[in-house]
Amino acid sequence: DIQMTQSPSSLSASVGDRVTITCRASQGIRDDLGWYQQKPGKAPKCLIYAASSLQSGVPSRFSGSGSGTEFTLTISSLQPDDSATYYCLQHNSYPLTFGGGTKVEIK
Amino acid sequence: QVTLKESGPVLVKPTETLTLTCTVSGFSLTNARMGVSWIRQPPGKALEWLGNIFSSDEKSYTTSLKSRLSISKDTSKSQVVLTMTNMDPVDTATYYCARISEYDFWSGYYRPFDFWGQGTLVTVSS
C-alpha cells in the first residue's frame, strides 16, 4: 500500500497569511493526487484534483503543486472560512489512501 | 444537480452485518465514465477509503477489509449498496459515498470524489 505522510498535523495562522501543507507519497504516484477540505460535522469537499487543477467553484487562493512523491497545497491568503481539516488522497494505485490530515486554525 | 445520499441503520450490534445504501441523482450509474466509492471516518480520525464500483461492475476494495466488504449496484434504482459483515465497535464511523468521474477504462484514469453524500453515522454497540 502507498503511504501518504501529511505535514504538519496542525497549524495556526493569521488572516492573510500564506499557508502551505505538504504530502509525501511512499512511492511515485505521478499527479494522481487530490486535496480535500473538511469542516466539522460536514462531508469533505474537493479543492484540487490531478495535483494542481482547481475544482470548479473553489476560490483561486487555493493552489496545488507537485508530482511523483512530493505535493503541496497552498492557501495564498488565509481567510476565516478556511478554518478546517485538509486531507490529501492518492489514487494512483489501489488501495486508495488518504493522508492523516492537517487541521488549520485561525489565530 | 448531482447529489448522493446515504441511508441505513444508525446502530448495529457486534457480529451483525451492516447494509448501507447510497442513492444518487444527477448522473447515471450506467455512464461508463462514472463510479461510486465508499469512504468512512471514525470519530475524530482520518478518512479511510473502503472500495469502488464502476458502471462495468468493476470493483476494488481496501486490503484490510476485503474479506468483509461487498459493493453492488442497482442501476434501476440509482443505488449503490455497501455490505460489511461481522461488525465490531472499531467500525463505528461516519460512512460516506462519493462520486468518481472522468473514468477512462483504457488508461485507468479517473477523477475521485468530486461530489460527496452528507454521510451517515453508524455506531456498533451491544
Side-chain angles (χ1 to χ4, degrees):
Chain A
D1 298 6
I2 296 175
Q3 307 302 317
M4 300 302 294
T5 304
Q6 198 172 329
S7 61
S9 57
S10 66
L11 65 90
S12 181
S14 301
V15 172
D17 282 354
R18 183 180 184 87
V19 167
T20 298
I21 299 168
T22 298
C23 242
R24 286 192 177 86
S26 60
Q27 62 191 71
I29 60 169
R30 302 182 306 185
D31 64 351
D32 296 329
L33 183 113
W35 289 98
Y36 299 83
Q37 176 195 65
Q38 187 180 33
K39 297 183 178 181
K42 299 294 186 183
K45 168 189 170 183
C46 181
L47 300 176
I48 301 286
Y49 65 95
S52 60
S53 295
L54 193 67
Q55 177 73 16
S56 176
V58 173
S60 58
R61 62 180 181 273
F62 291 95
S63 65
S65 64
S67 183
T69 60
E70 287 260 340
F71 301 87
T72 59
L73 173 70
T74 300
I75 308 173
S76 61
S77 177
L78 191 68
Q79 300 301 305
D81 189 50
D82 301 337
S83 178
T85 301
Y86 295 81
Y87 294 94
C88 62
L89 164 79
Q90 73 79 21
H91 59 99
N92 177 263
S93 63
Y94 290 114
L96 307 193
T97 44
F98 287 91
T102 297
K103 186 173 184 178
V104 174
E105 295 180 330
I106 310 295
K107 282 182 185 174
Chain B
Q1 181 188 2
V2 173
T3 65
L4 302 93
K5 187 170 185 178
E6 306 87 352
S7 59
V10 296
L11 179 66
V12 297
K13 291 181 168 55
T15 75
E16 287 186 341
T17 294
L18 171 69
T19 300
L20 292 176
T21 299
C22 175
T23 302
V24 310
S25 65
F27 70 99
S28 173
L29 296 176
T30 62
N31 186 322
R33 288 172 65 77
M34 299 293 170
V36 171
S37 268
W38 285 95
I39 299 121
R40 72 177 180 179
Q41 184 173 40
K45 295 189 177 180
L47 299 163
E48 177 184 22
W49 174 79
L50 299 178
N52 276 351
I53 188 167
F54 291 97
S55 62
S56 63
D57 216 37
E58 176 190 351
K59 303 166 195 177
S60 297
Y61 299 104
T62 192
T63 310
S64 60
L65 297 172
K66 194 170 186 175
S67 63
R68 298 174 51 207
L69 285 175
S70 177
I71 298 176
S72 61
K73 59 181 170 66
D74 184 334
T75 56
S76 67
K77 294 181 180 178
S78 295
Q79 292 179 336
V80 175
V81 176
L82 172 77
T83 302
M84 184 180 295
T85 61
N86 195 24
M87 292 292 284
D88 183 272
V90 300
D91 297 313
T92 294
T94 296
Y95 287 75
Y96 297 98
C97 57
R99 190 181 80 160
I100 296 167
S101 62
E102 298 185 10
Y103 177 57
D104 180 88
F105 174 81
W106 299 108
S107 68
Y109 173 81
Y110 54 86
R111 191 202 294 195
F113 316 158
D114 53 352
F115 290 91
W116 293 66
Q118 64 191 18
T120 185
L121 175 62
V122 177
T123 301
V124 184
S125 174
S126 54

